[in-house]
Amino acid sequence: MSLRTGLAIMWLAAVAIAAAYFGSRLLNGLPLQSDILALLPPLERDQALGEVQKRVEATLARRVVLLVSHRDAVKAKRAALLLARGLQRSNLVRSMAVELDPKSQKRIASAYFPFRTGLLSKADRTALLAHQGRQVVDRAEASFFTPGAIANAKLVKLDPFLLFPRFLLGLPGPQSRLEVRDGVLSTKDHGITYVLLSFEVNGDPYSAAFQSTFGSMFRTSFDATKRVVPGIGLIRAGAIFYASEGTTVSMNESSRIGLLSTLGTILLIYFVFRRLRPLVLSLVAILVGLLWAFVGTLLAFGSIHVIALIFGASLIGISVDYCLQYFCEYFDSGARTPRERLRRVLSGVLLGLGTTIIGYVTLFLAPFPGLKQIALFSVAGLLGAVTTILLWYPILDKVDIGPIRPAMLRLGALHWSLWQSSRARIVRIAIVLFCLAAAVVGFAALKVDDDVRHMQSLSPPLRQEEAEMQRLTGAGVSTSFLIVRGSNEQQLLETEEGLDRSLSALEREGEISQFQSLAQYVPSVAMQRSDRALVQQELVRPYLTSYLMDIGFNEPPEYSAPQEFLTPSALPAEGPLTALRALDVGGEGQAAHVVLLSGVAQPNRVAGALKRQGPAVTFVNLTSDWSALFGIYRYYALALLIVSAVLMYPALAWRYGFLAGIRVMFPAIAATGLAPLVAALADVRFTFFNAMALILVLSIGVDYSVFCRETFGERKPVTSLAIALAAASTILGFGLLALSSVFAVHAFGITILIGILLSFLLAPLAGDATPGPRSAA
Amino acid sequence: MLRRLCVVCLLCLGLSAAWIEIGSAEDIAPAPTPVAENEALRGHFVEVRTLQGFSKPFKSSGTFVLVPRKGLIWDSQQPFKTTTVITPEGILQIVNGHEALRLSTTKYPGLDRLYDVLSAAVSGDDRPLKTAFDVQRQTGPDGWRISLVPLHSDSVAMGEIRSLTVVGRDFVESVIVRMLDGDQDDMAFSSQTVSHQNLSADESSLLGAFRR
């Protein structure tokens, strides 16, 4: 057994093991991820803050708000309660808040009551600080004389100045346009009653598995509700709906694009070669490549992102390039045996693989977890495919095939004559002029876009629902918040109390519509302590005796200050205050709260107003943060592009010499530079994703140039044909991504499409102008 | 606690208005003088509240204005200058010129129920009353008397009320509210007149306090 056969058998064993592993993972369900922001690195702030922000994002992502509607208010409420119960039964949701029944109100009051001596409403605190104790006493005394007054002996004994009811009434109420009607939060619009339901999903909203479980449970519950209460409507807001829509779209697209790509490639190969062997062998190489791509990604990351899957579908397009280089040797009468064919393309394929891998490895250098996945997926896949070609083709492709279909070769020759024949000068000039014009006009038309809202192609119907919810409730899904950090919970509450004034001012000025902080519900111990002292000093000492005498109350009040203080954990976890728990976002050894802001019109102005708060408070606007990040990383991608060009050059210079190395790179670099400018003519904006695509255009483009450079004399048309087929298959793979409705994928695809066409067109420029061999590889 | 305030206020308002309108419809004689849409009922009141645990009763007096669909202004002059305004949109209380309480029905659970009962009562529909109370009516030569006993003592809105008694002739003349804990509220009304609204600027602004 020769070394070659031995290696082929070892490769077979390795492939079998990989297949077994992949099969076992498939049986347990492929772990898919669909969060597009997971493609991005954590924000470049200090790590602790990044972690807190991640938790806040995770919490926000789990939130779901529904509006259940009906023309009949009673039916709307009934439907909302039914739906809530249905969802709750599933255990897939938690922190459900729907009913504001008097019982839950009572529970809240009872939770606060033991700590009442330290609880003052904002207005009362202000009055007492201004030494207006008399006003508070008058109010208490007057309340005995008003119709149906609240005061009685029991209350006076426990809370003589009736401060506690006022504290309770001072707690923040529901969102601006919502009303409490019949024990539920609702709003009316054009005769339709909308009842609000809010909850958290009890799982990862970006996990495809959870999405499908939740989705079917949700549909079942809603349909069941609809059967009982016909005619109900539903408006949804929440990341889970977007994410699950995104997963469905991506999955459908990746299978559709993958299928198109595969079918197109098969047709192409069959059309050119008119026999099954190249087809079958190409499929073998592609499948083995894909197998390694999946296995490598699963081993390294544990799960696969749907975007990696979509890009991965295009891997077929690249790995087939190498197969095509090999099979096009069928057209070369000098290559009669598989070994001879392999020997002839070996240097080109290896050099091409090397430069392509350099391109992908730069993707790997980018600190984007998602792109690392794409890079690993592709590198593993390509290595798998090329190894298969090298080790298996000489064994499997035994038959001696004579030269076939010279018409094809004539086509290939045309490609060369375009650049080398004197008859094609006019066409050449036209091409150069077109490129120059496109570059100038395109440059003027080039628009850069980093807005994260444009990157995520959110489902339009869901966006409409969200806008409708915003209109009806006066508050949308918040993407702005403050992170408050400190060494312990009390410090956080104190910071939030300090923030209260600025936030209230912003609220009055209309810069924000509402804010929600834990300190609004739970004063800090320091505040409670000072409030107790204030009550003693401004009310109890000066007025208590005379006040009690005035109202004729003879028993001594039970007004001794308790030693305990109210803390967030004392509040009921269920009921209307359930959402408060999510405001505590501290992790191990780190205390952190989030203050949610809604209706932020201009993030910059809010950020500016809060600047004075110091390092303990961080304003976060996810939209502008992510957009800024996309901007930074767009530059980063362009830098990577240059790095990858610089990395490729030494290999080329080593093989071809300094100047020729530059010449080999020229067509690819020209295509890379022109692609975004030509795209701009079609009003395609330049984003981070287009920049990443250019890295691939460069490495694939260099492949084509290398193939052209490696060929000589009679073989030129053969090589050209192979490149034409490669470009066609790459376009079938990557270019088809331009059809995707996922913006990132679309941007990537369209850049590749244009870039590859240009690369193919310009590739012969790298070739030797003389027909003779320069190097017999 | 708050609800008690609402219930009693509501009943003063709701009953007088409801009685005024449904009285004639159900042919119970003698009926109180009806208050039309564009009219207002004005009068004096004396309220005596007897509370357990206090050595003396709380007595207050003043004037009131009841405007159909707009609300009630309860203006206590003695011993404190206190104005309580109850409208379909909320409750407002001013003590010695300082706003002491402002509750919007849209923001606080429970108030909305009362508002529904109120508006139903004002529009002549006593069904909401009957869902909450056992209603007994008596008519005699001196006038009529209506007794209301809550049907569900555990209902939060009615939780602390033992019974309500309303006595009247042309107008509601007295309301007695007895609480479960023995507290009692006696309200007597006098010098009542129904006339064209002629609301003062102050009255209009008080009744419109919750309009946006």
Side-chain angles (χ1 to χ4, degrees), chain A residues 467-605:
Chain A
E468 184 71 353
M469 177 160 301
Q470 178 126 21
R471 186 181 71 78
L472 289 166
T473 63
V477 175
S478 174
T479 53
S480 292
F481 49 85
L482 303 176
I483 291 175
V484 180
R485 288 183 300 158
S487 53
N488 57 54
E489 187 169 59
Q490 285 307 315
Q491 202 182 6
L492 300 179
L493 292 172
E494 286 168 36
T495 311
E496 284 163 51
E497 281 159 357
L499 269 173
D500 194 87
R501 186 189 297 268
S502 315
L503 290 175
S504 301
L506 286 170
E507 212 172 43
R508 274 195 304 278
E509 291 158 15
E511 292 290 346
I512 58 176
S513 68
Q514 211 180 20
F515 68 97
Q516 195 180 33
S517 71
L518 257 176
Q520 288 172 305
Y521 297 85
V522 183
S524 64
V525 166
M527 177 75 90
Q528 294 180 52
R529 198 171 271 139
S530 85
D531 281 355
R532 274 180 198 172
L534 199 60
V535 169
Q536 282 296 321
Q537 188 185 322
E538 297 291 330
L539 286 176
V540 174
R541 263 176 243 143
Y543 299 113
L544 186 65
T545 316
S546 61
Y547 163 70
L548 290 179
M549 211 177 318
D550 281 354
I551 59 174
F553 192 72
N554 302 326
E555 281 180 74
E558 288 173 16
Y559 210 55
S560 59
Q563 294 309 300
E564 307 265 303
F565 292 95
L566 174 71
T567 56
S569 59
L571 295 181
E574 295 302 317
L577 296 187
T578 181
L580 289 186
R581 280 186 313 157
L583 299 181
D584 185 353
V585 289
E588 263 174 54
Q590 188 189 25
H593 284 176
V594 59
V595 178
L596 294 177
L597 308 178
S598 44
V600 175
Q602 294 181 11
N604 293 343
R605 283 163 72 168

Side-chain angles (χ1 to χ4, degrees), chain A residues 53-89:
Chain A
Q53 180 162 342
K54 268 215 159 119
R55 277 196 293 275
V56 178
E57 282 160 24
T59 308
L60 289 178
R62 277 199 300 269
R63 278 206 174 169
V64 173
V65 182
L66 304 176
L67 286 177
V68 180
S69 64
H70 199 281
R71 293 210 157 268
D72 181 340
V74 176
K75 284 186 179 163
K77 177 186 171 182
R78 178 144 179 259
L81 294 182
L82 268 175
L83 182 59
R85 224 164 295 141
L87 296 173
Q88 263 169 325
R89 260 200 301 272

Side-chain angles (χ1 to χ4, degrees), chain A residues 704-745:
Chain A
Y704 296 168
S705 302
V706 165
F707 296 152
C708 282
R709 183 73 196 183
E710 289 287 327
T711 194
F712 51 86
E714 290 299 303
R715 290 191 62 241
K716 275 182 175 175
V718 176
T719 305
S720 238
L721 182 62
I723 297 174
L725 290 178
S729 64
T730 303
I731 286 167
L732 280 172
F734 276 128
L736 282 181
L737 296 179
L739 300 175
S740 172
S741 67
V742 179
F743 179 88
V745 180

Side-chain angles (χ1 to χ4, degrees), chain A residues 745-758:
Chain A
V745 180
H746 164 80
F748 201 92
I750 196 124
T751 309
I752 296 269
L753 178 67
I754 297 170
I756 292 300
L757 278 175
L758 286 169

Side-chain angles (χ1 to χ4, degrees), chain B residues 44-102:
Chain B
H44 286 271
F45 72 86
V46 174
E47 182 185 14
V48 178
R49 167 172 293 137
T50 317
L51 300 182
Q52 301 296 309
F54 292 83
S55 59
K56 55 190 181 189
F58 298 93
K59 185 178 171 183
S60 61
S61 58
T63 59
F64 71 91
V65 188
L66 172 68
V67 185
R69 294 190 200 284
K70 286 189 180 161
L72 169 75
I73 302 173
W74 187 270
D75 207 1
S76 176
Q77 273 109 35
Q78 289 293 331
F80 279 94
K81 180 96 188 76
T82 306
T83 307
T84 306
V85 186
I86 303 171
T87 74
E89 294 90 20
I91 294 171
L92 174 69
Q93 206 164 66
I94 298 165
V95 176
N96 286 340
H98 297 285
E99 186 173 305
L101 184 69
R102 178 187 281 264

